[in-house]
């Protein structure tokens, strides 16, 4: 098992290197640079050149890449060209805001999705199955921001029981902060809920059709124990998709963040794109990619712990 | 009913007169998109304690379905099971699932054709045996594990301690089937249902498994229903043999009578179409035609269309097993009418 984990970690190195090259190249490919935004178009060309030199943008591309990478390896994510703030601190604050939504949204979506999926499979073809399938499909297909707006209209505007937007005052109490979480968390949980419930339904149905389920009944196992067998068999594929879904949540959703005025990682990247803020953009994407890879390693390890056939 | 009554002393009721298992008019139907599949159509038999019944028949003749009906593991909803299955004084067909679960395992156990698919791939073999023991004997896991190891020893799996930790995919087919047998025997059932337990195995391994089963059956004195489509295997292990076709018993009797002096034309055809040691050199005659469509069964004898001895009345129906010797029954109209076998 330790060797398995070691190998997975080793694989991550070339993956992340490749990702860093791709990110850097893509950011470079985008037309224009930060000087287009910082300086009015009528300013003399020399001003732009001075700025480019200051930010190192006049160096050869590969040099810029290695400087960036070298700094990253020392834990230095660079400095925002636009705000002059260290990228690390901007990212930390945006990412922690996103996590504040992503973790409860994942928890809610995954739990609800798994329960609905198992029940739909057990009552295959019945009205419960149809109802849950409808919920799941609505969850993945309704536009996020639209659901957000509708929820705000209902709970904040009409009923006036929950705040419409924001994270609440800095010095507000815990209860107040929690109330600000409710609507965005529900909105973000819809896609994971829908995706997981469809997947769980399909894998439970597949498991139920297998001989070992009959064999478990043939040895008189209790219903609860049979359910445990089903869950353990359904877990590996479900965990894989949960890992992906959680990764997407960490990327933040610019639309949902906008609807709820929530300063998360989606907004940070969006702003960086419009400002051509290369250090913020590339470092943020790379850190997110790193987290994504880490989640996938964790999922691989969990899968292998559950299903011995995957330990290779 | 509680567990005490279920485990009631066998000797009290174990007189020769009361069979361990008594099946009457068992019929199984599946509602499918293609229509109603009549998989089992009025099966009757008794099984004494410690008796081994071999069920022979081509694939699709309803062998597995009849075993699953006894075990109560047919898919619910679109399956109709009628008739009566009396096991040791309990009527299984009307028994609630919860009570049935107290019989399945400690009283009746089953082994399957494909041990690879009948074992859960993400649990160790040891866990799968031990969970059965924990469930039915109420012991703790460490006691159950120790017993599981004894059972692996009993089915002669080498280094049983290590094998307890093995997952099904880490074992060979033969080892897996041994493990499955250990699992089935782990609560000392009175009746073992074996559904073609050797069909998926290599020939040499098949023989080992048959010999092991026969030995364990004698040692534990349990009754066995052994389903196979292999005449050689059936003759090796059975006291009595039933020949199944179109969901019915065509012939049923002591193994040597049925296999050496078959009475029914179908049994005869089956014997002639089987490669088996004593007939080496003889011509192999396959039975012409195909088994009947179970969604569209003829009303008379299901074999009539393929039978060289059929007369028009065979298509009319009302054909039942009738005695043709001591404990020997055959469901052939001509045998019944003319009072003779064609193959004597
Ligand atoms: N769950 C099911 N639904 C519909 N038909 C079934 C089902 N199980 C078995 N059958 C049909 O019943 C017939 C008998 O099957 P089976 O008992 O498995 O035959 P065998 O004698 O080879 O074991 C077959 O035609 C099979 O297709
Ligand atoms: Mg079968």
């Amino acid at each position: 098992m330790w060797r398995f984990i070691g190998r997975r970690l080793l694989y991550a190195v070339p993956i992340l290197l490749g990702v860093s090259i791709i990110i850097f190249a893509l950011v470079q490919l985008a037309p224009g640079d930060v000087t287009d935004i910082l300086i009015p178009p009528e300013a003399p060309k020399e001003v732009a050149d001075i700025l480019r030199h200051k930010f190192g943008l006049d160096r050869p591309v590969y040099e810029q890449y290695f400087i960036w990478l070298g700094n990253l390896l020392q834990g230095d994510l660079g400095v925002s060209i636009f705000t002059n703030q260290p990228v690390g601190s901007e990212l930390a604050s945006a990412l922690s805001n996103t996590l504040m939504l992503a973790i409860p949204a994942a928890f809610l979506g995954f739990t609800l999705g798994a329960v609905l999926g198992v029940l739909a499979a057990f009552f295959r073809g019945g009205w419960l199955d149809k109802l849950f399938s409808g919920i799941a499909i609505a969850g993945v297909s309704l536009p996020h921001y639209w659901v957000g707006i509708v929820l705000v209209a209902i709970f904040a505007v009409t009923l006036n029981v929950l705040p419409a937007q924001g994270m609440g005052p800095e010095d507000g109490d815990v209860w107040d902060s929690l109330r600000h979480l409710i609507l965005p968390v529900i909105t973000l949980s819809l896609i994971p809920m829908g995706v997981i419930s469809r997947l769980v339904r399909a894998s439970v149905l597949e498991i139920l059709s297998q001989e070992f389920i009959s064999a478990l009944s043939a040895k008189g196992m209790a219903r609860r124990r049979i359910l445990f067998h089903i869950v353990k068999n359904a877990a590996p594929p479900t965990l894989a998709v949960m890992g992906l879904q959680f990764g997407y949540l960490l990327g933040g959703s610019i639309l949902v963040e906008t609807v709820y005025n929530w300063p998360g990682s989606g907004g940070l990247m969006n702003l960086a794109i419009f400002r051509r803020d290369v250090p913020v953009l590339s470092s943020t994407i790379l850190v997110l990619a790193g987290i994504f890879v880490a989640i996938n390693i964790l999922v691989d390890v969990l899968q292998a712990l559950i299903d011995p056939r995957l330990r290779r | 009913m509680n567990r005490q009554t279920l485990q009631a002393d066998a000797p009290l009721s174990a007189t020769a007169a009361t069979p361990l298992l008594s099946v009457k008019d068992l019929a199984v139907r599946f509602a499918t998109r293609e229509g109603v599949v009549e998989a089992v159509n009025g099966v009757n038999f008794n099984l004494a304690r410690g008796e081994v019944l071999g069920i022979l028949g081509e694939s699709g003749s309803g062998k597995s379905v009849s075993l699953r009906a006894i075990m109560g593991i047919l898919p619910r909803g679109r399956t109709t099971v009628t008739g009566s299955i009396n096991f040791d004084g309990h009527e299984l067909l009307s028994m609630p699932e919860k009570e049935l679960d107290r019989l399945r395992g400690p009283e009746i156990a089953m082994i399957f054709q494909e041990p690879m698919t009948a074992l859960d791939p993400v649990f160790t073999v040891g866990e799968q045996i031990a969970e059965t023991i924990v469930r039915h004997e109420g012991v703790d896991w460490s006691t159950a594990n120790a017993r599981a190891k004894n059972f692996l020893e009993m089915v002669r799996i080498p280094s049983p301690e290590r094998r307890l930790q093995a997952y099904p995919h880490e074992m060979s087919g033969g080892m897996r089937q041994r493990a499955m047998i250990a699992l089935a025997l782990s609560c000392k059932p009175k009746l073992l249902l074996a559904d073609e337990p050797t069909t998926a195995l290599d020939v040499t391994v098949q023989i080992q498994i048959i010999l092991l089963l026969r030995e364990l059956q004698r040692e534990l004195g349990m009754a066995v229903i052994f389903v196979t489509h292999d005449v050689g295997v059936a003759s090796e292990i059975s006291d009595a043999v039933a020949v199944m076709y179109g969901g019915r018993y065509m012939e049923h009797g002591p193994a040597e009578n049925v296999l050496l002096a078959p009475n029914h034309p179908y049994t005869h055809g089956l014997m002639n179409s089987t490669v088996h040691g004593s007939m080496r050199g003889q011509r192999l005659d396959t039975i012409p035609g195909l088994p009947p469509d179970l969604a569209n069964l003829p009303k008379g004898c299901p074999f009539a269309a393929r039978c060289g001895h059929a007369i028009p009345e065979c298509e009319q129906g009302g054909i039942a097993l009738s005695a043709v010797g001591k404990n020997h029954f055959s469901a052939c109209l001509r045998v019944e009418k003319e009072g003779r076998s064609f193959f004597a």
Side-chain angles (χ1 to χ4, degrees):
Chain A
M1 203 61 217
W2 289 115
R3 282 189 46 182
F4 176 86
I5 297 173
R7 212 152 7 146
R8 282 300 122 124
L9 287 174
L10 269 182
Y11 286 156
V13 174
I15 291 175
L16 282 176
L17 266 179
V19 168
S20 73
I21 293 173
I22 294 170
I23 290 170
F24 195 80
L26 284 179
V27 170
Q28 293 294 322
L29 280 177
D33 64 31
V34 69
T35 55
D36 299 337
I37 315 274
L38 285 179
I39 315 167
E42 61 276 13
K45 198 179 161 290
E46 290 70 38
V47 179
D49 286 339
I50 293 168
L51 274 179
R52 283 210 184 87
H53 180 73
K54 180 173 172 244
F55 298 135
L57 298 178
D58 56 346
R59 300 187 186 213
V61 171
Y62 67 90
E63 244 186 84
Q64 293 184 42
Y65 171 73
F66 282 115
I67 291 171
W68 174 60
L69 194 66
N71 288 340
L72 277 179
L73 290 179
Q74 294 165 39
D76 177 6
L77 300 183
V79 174
S80 163
I81 291 178
F82 209 86
T83 62
N84 230 357
Q85 297 289 315
V87 175
S89 68
E90 287 197 6
L91 180 57
S93 114
L95 204 53
S96 68
N97 289 341
T98 291
L99 275 175
M100 215 185 285
L101 294 185
I103 291 174
F107 184 78
L108 180 69
F110 294 167
T111 316
L112 215 62
V115 171
L116 295 192
V118 169
L119 287 175
F122 279 153
F123 297 100
R124 176 190 200 168
W127 63 270
L128 210 61
D129 182 18
K130 295 196 176 101
L131 174 70
F132 290 170
S133 297
I135 294 176
I137 290 166
V140 290
S141 50
L142 289 179
H144 253 157
Y145 61 91
W146 181 81
V147 173
I149 291 169
V150 168
L151 287 179
V152 167
I154 297 175
F155 292 98
V157 180
T158 311
L159 299 177
N160 197 18
V161 288
L162 289 170
Q165 51 154 295
M167 303 177 63
E170 290 274 312
D171 52 357
D173 60 4
V174 179
W175 173 234
D176 190 49
S177 305
L178 284 179
R179 275 163 36 90
H180 282 84
L181 283 176
I182 295 177
L183 291 182
V185 163
I186 290 176
T187 310
L188 284 175
S189 70
L190 289 178
I191 289 187
M193 183 272 293
V195 170
I196 293 299
S197 89
R198 296 311 287 168
L199 174 80
V200 166
R201 178 183 180 275
S203 37
V204 168
L205 280 179
E206 203 267 322
I207 293 161
L208 284 176
S209 73
Q210 289 190 34
E211 184 95 300
F212 73 80
I213 296 294
S214 301
L216 284 169
S217 300
K219 57 185 193 171
M221 298 314 293
R223 280 312 205 63
R224 224 177 318 127
R225 183 77 186 171
I226 297 181
L227 185 64
F228 177 52
H229 279 262
I230 294 171
V231 168
K232 196 169 175 191
N233 274 275
T238 309
L239 282 172
V241 174
M242 284 179 174
L244 290 177
Q245 289 291 322
F246 189 62
Y248 299 152
L249 284 177
L250 287 188
S253 157
I254 175 66
L255 294 172
V256 173
E257 285 174 15
T258 306
V259 168
Y260 291 106
N261 191 17
W262 194 278
S265 51
L268 179 70
M269 278 188 288
N270 197 54
L271 207 56
I273 290 170
F274 284 117
R275 290 172 169 176
R276 302 290 191 280
D277 200 340
V278 175
V280 174
L281 189 59
S282 28
S283 296
T284 301
I285 300 179
L286 190 66
V287 168
L288 288 176
I291 298 177
F292 211 83
V293 170
I295 293 173
N296 271 300
I297 293 175
L298 184 69
V299 165
D300 276 355
V301 170
L302 284 176
Q303 282 184 312
L305 282 175
I306 295 170
D307 187 341
R309 291 168 300 178
L310 302 173
R311 286 173 209 165
R312 248 171 284 140
Chain B
M1 185 184 50
N2 56 37
R3 289 180 62 191
Q4 257 67 44
T5 48
L6 284 183
Q7 289 168 346
D9 288 349
L12 271 181
S13 51
T15 53
T18 57
L20 176 67
L21 180 72
S22 174
V23 173
K24 288 201 178 67
D25 300 325
L26 179 67
V28 181
R29 289 174 180 16
F30 299 106
T32 68
R33 238 174 261 137
E34 289 75 40
V36 178
V37 173
E38 303 181 301
V40 177
N41 300 292
V43 161
N44 290 283
F45 68 93
N46 287 337
L47 187 71
R49 280 157 212 286
E51 184 182 352
V52 180
L53 169 67
I55 301 184
L56 259 178
E58 287 169 87
S59 87
S61 54
K63 307 182 298 291
S64 299
V65 171
S66 48
L67 287 196
R68 279 161 196 265
I70 295 172
M71 210 68 205
I73 55 171
L74 288 167
R76 247 160 298 173
R78 52 201 186 78
T79 312
T80 326
V81 184
T82 53
S84 147
I85 301 174
N86 193 291
F87 172 81
D88 213 7
H90 308 286
E91 178 50 53
L92 300 186
L93 286 185
S94 58
M95 191 179 257
E97 200 81 5
K98 276 232 160 79
E99 288 174 32
L100 211 50
D101 280 341
R102 296 284 170 206
L103 291 180
R104 295 190 284 208
E107 302 280 313
I108 313 176
M110 182 156 176
I111 53 184
F112 295 81
Q113 180 166 344
E114 291 275 0
M116 187 65 198
T117 58
L119 291 167
D120 186 332
V122 303
F123 284 76
T124 64
V125 164
E127 285 170 316
Q128 300 190 54
I129 301 176
E131 70 179 351
T132 322
I133 300 173
V134 168
R135 164 78 167 159
H136 295 293
E137 317 219 321
V139 297
D140 59 32
W141 278 90
S142 63
T143 316
N145 272 321
R147 281 196 211 169
K149 183 179 151 251
N150 293 341
F151 280 101
L152 288 188
E153 246 157 35
M154 189 176 79
V155 297
R156 282 187 231 107
I157 287 182
S159 47
E161 191 81 56
R162 197 160 52 79
R163 289 303 189 171
L164 282 179
Q165 315 296 330
Y167 287 90
H169 75 280
E170 297 169 330
M171 295 179 140
S172 68
M175 281 305 150
R176 274 198 289 271
Q177 197 55 291
R178 283 172 195 265
M180 188 84 221
I181 294 170
L183 194 162
L185 301 186
S186 64
C187 293
K188 304 253 172 64
K190 296 194 182 90
L191 171 62
L192 177 69
L193 308 178
D195 191 357
E196 309 207 32
T198 60
T199 305
L201 305 175
D202 293 344
V203 181
T204 48
V205 182
Q206 274 184 20
I207 296 165
Q208 293 167 5
I209 297 289
I210 298 285
L211 293 178
L212 175 72
L213 272 174
R214 195 171 64 180
E215 184 189 318
L216 292 172
Q217 180 269 327
R218 287 186 185 151
E219 205 175 301
L220 304 172
M222 64 187 168
V224 177
I225 303 182
F226 193 103
V227 161
T228 175
H229 59 241
D230 185 326
V231 175
V233 168
S235 72
E236 192 63 48
I237 196 160
S238 315
D239 302 318
V241 165
V243 177
M244 212 167 169
Y245 187 83
R248 304 184 202 191
Y249 281 6
M250 302 308 250
E251 185 164 358
H252 178 196
E256 60 277 16
N257 297 11
V258 175
L259 297 177
L260 298 180
N263 183 287
H264 195 285
Y266 176 65
T267 316
H268 197 256
L270 197 64
M271 303 298 295
N272 279 352
S273 62
T274 313
V275 187
H276 107 70
S278 59
M279 305 198 307
R280 190 173 301 143
Q282 236 173 291
R283 206 160 63 93
L284 267 181
D285 295 318
T286 52
I287 309 174
L290 290 171
D293 174 9
L294 296 175
N296 215 337
L297 274 178
K299 101 172 130 57
C301 172
F303 186 58
R306 298 169 78 186
C307 181
H309 305 276
I311 51 172
E313 285 100 305
C314 291
E315 318 257 347
Q316 297 311 307
I319 301 157
L321 283 173
S322 61
V324 292
K326 190 172 183 292
N327 294 328
H328 189 175
F329 305 88
S330 173
C332 180
L333 195 68
R334 286 196 67 186
V335 170
E336 194 181 347
K337 276 177 90 157
E338 298 166 27
R340 64 180 181 91
S341 168
F342 308 104
F343 319 108

